[in-house]
Amino acid sequence: MLGGNKEPAVTEEQVLNALRKVIDPDLGRDVVSLGMIKDLKIDGGTVSFTFELTTPACPLKDQLTKSVHDAVAAVPGVKSVKVKQSAQVKEDARIELKLNAPIRNVIAVSSGKGGVGKSTVAVNLAIALARWGAKVGILDADIYGPNVNIMLGVSGTPMVENKKLVPLRAYGLQVMSIGFLVPPGEALLWRGALLHSAVKQFLEDVAWEEMDYLVVDMPPGTGDTHLSLAQLIPVTGGVVVTTPQTVALADSTRATAAFKKLKVPVLGIIENMAGDIFGQGGGELAAQKLQVPFLGRIPLDPAVRIGGDTGQPILVSNPESETAKVFLDLASKIAMELSKLNVERPEPSKEERMANMKLNIGPGVGTH
Ligand SMILES: Nc1ncnc2c1ncn2[C@@H]1O[C@H](COP(=O)(O)OP(=O)(O)OP(=O)(O)O)[C@@H](O)[C@H]1O
Ligand SMILES: [Mg+2]
């Protein structure tokens, strides 16, 4: 205390009021109501707090941190501001309710037809999210033609602990693929019930560790696996991959319609393999027509294919390349779309929680 010329003490209310004027441009709300201000301490003219982002993949994180800093610094009587930046990924609360697994978000990567680059996008998106600092897993749900394992260069048989399969690891990701469990081609005839139980096992009988994002690589088309996945787990958002050609519209329409039918929010469309040969624009046009966000355009780049073939995705083999940056940018957009959905979704009601508690106890209880 210096005594003498007393300045009015800075109040918490003044600081919060100043912070309420800072709007997160992606989420469209102020940082206080979004719960992003933690551990606020005021000590004379020194204000300190933690600024908690809804995802480490927030593209504007430094700019936003500066905005909250400056907003508080402008409050009369504030001499210094200490902001600690952190991130806590917003969760889709429905997942834990339904699955009892520590997964905050599920992203399904889909397309209307085969060979457009779903697996490539899924793998690089997962690594990109991890590069941003998130905890990420990838599930290869292409039971008929698994290749996430190949693209990540990971093989082996998962260990079993407490009756659960332990995911393998690659580039910091938790990885699970039917490719680890059955010889190539064996699952080709699986349909209906068998397929459903395989997907169920992948979700329920895997010892998934805590993760912010589970990326699911879907099989081509819009068939049984989609239905099973959506029945077994709340899918937070779906991403549609398409090509630059004009047929992209028809393909994206199918994939988007399938997600909508299953009540999976469509995060947007990615146009893959853009370039001289295939041109560009089909994906963007499809996004406009279907009124879903256009997430971005990945160039046709031989390094992408080589990366997939050699088990070293481009984000690993050429992390500084333009194409790698495109994936980082896509990851960030997707993470923000998920944050938006989770911020806007009402908390599960008491009834929903109760209903699920009964489900978790298992059938039979209380029925006799
Ligand atoms: N942007 C790109 N540039 C160059 N090659 C690419 C690009 N995207 C994907 N590829 C290549 O195209 C082929 C098909 O990609 P991928 O296997 O990811 O497609 P998919 O949609 O998952 O196929 P499927 O429907 O069979 O599961 C692969 O050889 C992959 O390396
Ligand atoms: Mg694939």
Side-chain angles (χ1 to χ4, degrees):
M1 290 292 122
L2 293 173
N5 51 354
K6 269 198 191 161
E7 292 202 27
V10 178
T11 66
E12 191 169 305
E13 203 186 327
Q14 278 176 301
V15 172
L16 290 177
N17 278 342
L19 286 168
R20 281 193 186 98
K21 298 208 177 78
V22 183
I23 309 288
D24 182 320
D26 289 302
L27 303 177
R29 270 171 52 187
D30 75 273
V31 296
V32 176
S33 75
L34 285 165
M36 294 166 87
I37 310 298
K38 304 265 150 128
D39 305 326
L40 175 61
K41 288 193 188 77
I42 302 170
D43 184 5
T46 302
V47 179
S48 65
F49 58 92
T50 300
F51 183 49
E52 192 180 83
L53 299 152
T54 59
T55 170
C58 173
L60 302 173
K61 56 182 165 188
D62 292 335
Q63 204 177 312
L64 257 179
T65 305
K66 185 174 181 306
S67 300
V68 292
H69 174 280
D70 293 354
V72 176
V75 173
V78 171
K79 297 265 177 327
S80 87
V81 185
K82 291 179 194 149
V83 187
K84 195 175 137 213
Q85 194 190 76
S86 73
Q88 172 67 47
V89 172
K90 280 269 174 216
E91 63 173 5
D92 178 348
R94 303 167 307 164
I95 298 172
E96 205 177 5
L97 266 186
K98 176 121 187 186
L99 199 66
N100 207 10
I103 301 172
R104 296 199 176 91
N105 289 276
V106 175
I107 309 165
V109 181
S110 189
S111 71
K113 68 163 183 214
V116 299
K118 286 177 296 301
S119 304
T120 304
V121 168
V123 160
N124 284 292
L125 171 63
I127 300 179
L129 286 165
R131 285 287 142 91
W132 277 103
K135 297 190 187 81
V136 187
I138 183 162
L139 169 61
D140 187 349
D142 192 348
I143 310 282
Y144 306 126
N147 43 31
V148 164
N149 49 337
I150 299 165
M151 288 184 173
L152 287 171
V154 56
S155 61
T157 310
M159 305 225 291
V160 178
E161 269 173 23
N162 299 324
K163 298 195 182 151
K164 288 198 171 192
L165 292 164
V166 179
L168 297 184
R169 291 258 175 192
Y171 309 118
L173 310 176
Q174 305 178 54
V175 190
M176 190 46 75
S177 168
I178 193 82
F180 299 147
L181 304 174
V182 302
E186 191 156 296
L188 271 178
L189 294 175
W190 291 6
R191 284 285 181 274
L194 201 51
L195 184 81
H196 187 80
S197 68
V199 178
K200 190 170 155 77
Q201 242 192 333
F202 271 157
L203 294 168
E204 293 174 4
D205 301 339
V206 171
W208 295 111
E209 281 173 25
E210 185 196 341
M211 78 176 96
D212 298 317
Y213 304 102
L214 176 64
V215 179
V216 186
D217 179 24
M218 301 301 289
T222 52
D224 287 353
T225 310
H226 288 72
L227 187 62
S228 290
L229 187 75
Q231 281 171 350
L232 291 163
I233 195 170
V235 178
T236 319
V239 172
V240 173
V241 181
T242 190
T243 53
Q245 295 95 321
T246 34
V247 289
L249 178 58
D251 296 337
S252 316
T253 305
R254 268 202 305 283
T256 308
F259 275 141
K260 287 195 172 152
K261 198 167 161 206
L262 297 168
K263 299 208 163 55
V264 172
V266 180
L267 303 178
I269 292 180
I270 294 175
E271 181 177 305
N272 185 31
M273 307 198 202
D276 297 339
I277 304 176
F278 300 132
Q280 65 173 47
E284 190 164 9
L285 197 70
Q288 270 171 22
K289 290 244 159 89
L290 297 168
Q291 295 185 327
V292 295
F294 178 64
L295 295 170
R297 178 173 289 131
I298 303 161
L300 181 74
D301 177 352
V304 170
R305 185 187 50 75
I306 295 165
D309 288 348
T310 56
Q312 291 227 333
I314 186 153
L315 261 133
V316 175
S317 62
N318 302 50
E320 301 300 326
S321 62
E322 280 307 309
T323 307
K325 291 198 180 112
V326 170
F327 278 114
L328 285 165
D329 184 41
L330 277 173
S332 165
K333 281 199 184 127
I334 288 170
M336 289 317 296
E337 292 291 331
L338 291 169
S339 283
K340 230 187 279 179
L341 283 172
N342 290 334
V343 162
E344 285 162 10
R345 182 184 303 105
E347 292 278 309
S349 66
K350 218 173 176 178
E351 288 72 28
E352 280 171 289
R353 287 189 188 278
M354 293 294 282
N356 249 336
M357 269 167 64
K358 280 187 206 125
L359 277 180
N360 286 340
I361 292 166
V365 176
T367 53
H368 288 265

